[in-house]
Structures are given as C-alpha cells and as structure tokens.
Amino acid sequence: MKKELLKIEDLHVSAENKEILKGINLKINKGEIHVIMGPNGSGKTTTANAILNNPAYIKQSGKIMFESEDITNLSTDEIARKGIFMSFQLPEEIPGVSVTNFLKYAKNKITGEPVKIFAFKEELKKYMEELNMNSKNMERSLNVGFSGGEKKKNEILQMLVLNPKLAILDETDSGLDVDAIKTVSKGIQMFKNENNAVLIITHNTKILNSLKVDYVHVLVDGKIIKTGSQELAEEIEENGYSQYK
C-alpha cells in the first residue's frame, strides 16, 4: 500500500488581489510521478509556490498536508527542511558564491549535519558526470554566465544532492533543446525511488517522453478539471487545451 506524501485540500490562493487557484485538490503518494499541465496563466506555478508558502501568494482557504502534518502556514525554510524541493523556472544568479559552496550550505541547513568537503566534492563530480556537466562549473559562481541549459541542469544537480522527499520541478524543461531535456529526464530517473515523489509542472510533453508518469492533471483557470494517465498528456499534445476552455 502506497503511503500518502502530499495532500492539498480545496486550496484557494490569490496574488496581487486576484484569485488564481479556485479550489485545488491533489494527492501524491510516495513512489509516484505527477504532472500538472495547463495553458499559460492557469495557475501551475502558483500551485508550486503555494506549496512552498511563497509570501507573494496568499492562501485564502484550504489546507496542505505533508506526511500527515499541516504545513499550510509554515515558513518556506521550514517546509524545505521537511523535505520539499522546488526547481525554478528562472534560476537565480548568485555572484561570488560557488556552486559547491551553495550546495554545501544548503545541504547543511537541511540536514543540520556538517558536510565533509572532500567526500562532498566527489559526490558532486559523480552527479555532474551523469548529467553531462563540466566539473569545472563546481567553482563558478552559481548560475553566473551559465547558459539556459546549464542553469536547468544545475537545478537537477541540486535536487540530487539535497535528496528531498518531494521534488517540484517548475517548467524545468522550458527553453531546452532535445539533448538537454533528455539529461533532465535522466536526472529525474536517477532521483526517483519508492520513498520519494516528483511533481512536474509543464505545458508540453517533451520531458515526459523518457519518463513513466503515474498521473497527469489538467489545470485550467485555477482548477484541476481532469486527471488521467500518461495518455492524457499525449492527447493534449495532439489537441491542445481548447477542448477544456
């Protein structure tokens, strides 16, 4: 029997005095990959930010449970320490902070344990080789001067190193070429196991070609209006979202 990891109940969220989510319900069990698809402005990114309690998004009502604990009003830092990771659509650049030092600091904050730097660097090198990344990037400032593909691979590297219980990938495939998308998919496969889960937010199906997805949810105008198997994503690729408007 699969164990419930995340449960969203009748969630209403607004931003800039406009209601965006209008009653989201979603349940994710350990061992599953879920996909939220929808047209631009439907509330996909808002859903991700609401889970992490980004203060720019105001919860009007509803509840978010994580491993049977109410995390609706916890701070973003507390939620991250519980084991939720989010990759960003537009990763931030941090001048003067190397990739290694950023990840070392993040891992220490999440685990509360000191990081042994030599073993940690070896772990980084191993993951970077798997993701076809230049190991010299370890010492570069985080995302500074990185191409779009390098930034997105760096997000997947962070996911592998931090090893969360739930990874939320917000349009990680956006703007990537075919080879980069395959690398991102490979990283997801490396991460995924029976004790964690992945929530992929996207508006196209390319990233799903190399993945076995358990559920696809169609989000339109702030509501999940249909849930199905991977075939639902293929149907959307062929026919678009017009049928749901």
Side-chain angles (χ1 to χ4, degrees), residues 57-223:
Y57 298 83
I58 308 302
K59 296 186 180 80
Q60 304 293 345
S61 62
K63 186 186 294 184
I64 301 176
M65 306 292 292
F66 186 68
E67 292 193 306
S68 301
E69 178 183 357
D70 189 343
I71 64 167
T72 310
N73 297 311
L74 294 184
S75 70
T76 300
D77 283 351
E78 289 175 305
I79 293 168
R81 285 195 291 270
K82 296 289 183 185
I84 299 180
F85 166 87
M86 178 177 168
S87 76
F88 294 96
Q89 190 173 347
L90 299 171
E92 291 286 333
E93 296 183 3
I94 307 180
V97 178
S98 70
V99 171
T100 299
N101 285 339
F102 173 82
L103 287 172
K104 178 175 174 285
Y105 175 80
K107 193 172 182 71
N108 172 257
K109 291 293 288 184
I110 288 173
T111 65
E113 299 175 357
V115 177
K116 296 178 180 178
I117 189 61
F118 293 111
F120 184 68
K121 282 189 173 182
E122 287 303 312
E123 180 185 20
L124 280 186
K125 285 181 181 178
K126 181 189 73 173
Y127 286 139
M128 292 177 89
E129 287 175 4
E130 292 278 3
L131 296 174
N132 196 27
M133 298 174 69
N134 188 338
S135 61
K136 292 181 180 178
N137 286 354
M138 291 170 57
E139 306 309 324
R140 290 175 61 183
S141 291
L142 184 69
N143 290 326
V144 176
F146 285 27
S147 68
E150 287 175 327
K151 289 180 179 180
K152 297 302 180 70
K153 288 180 183 180
N154 209 27
E155 294 282 288
I156 298 299
L157 176 66
Q158 291 175 36
M159 176 186 73
L160 292 170
V161 170
L162 299 178
N163 193 29
K165 296 174 183 176
L166 173 65
I168 303 171
L169 307 180
D170 183 16
E171 304 219 12
T172 305
D173 55 336
S174 177
L176 299 185
D177 61 27
V178 173
D179 290 337
I181 289 175
K182 287 181 179 179
T183 299
V184 168
S185 296
K186 180 181 179 181
I188 296 170
Q189 292 171 326
M190 289 166 58
F191 166 75
K192 175 71 179 54
N193 61 51
E194 62 183 11
N195 295 313
N196 61 27
V198 179
L199 174 60
I200 299 170
I201 294 170
T202 187
H203 62 266
N204 65 61
T205 61
K206 290 180 181 178
I207 194 172
L208 309 182
N209 291 340
S210 303
L211 296 172
K212 183 180 181 300
V213 170
D214 295 286
Y215 297 98
V216 174
H217 311 278
V218 180
L219 181 63
V220 175
D221 192 27
K223 294 182 179 180

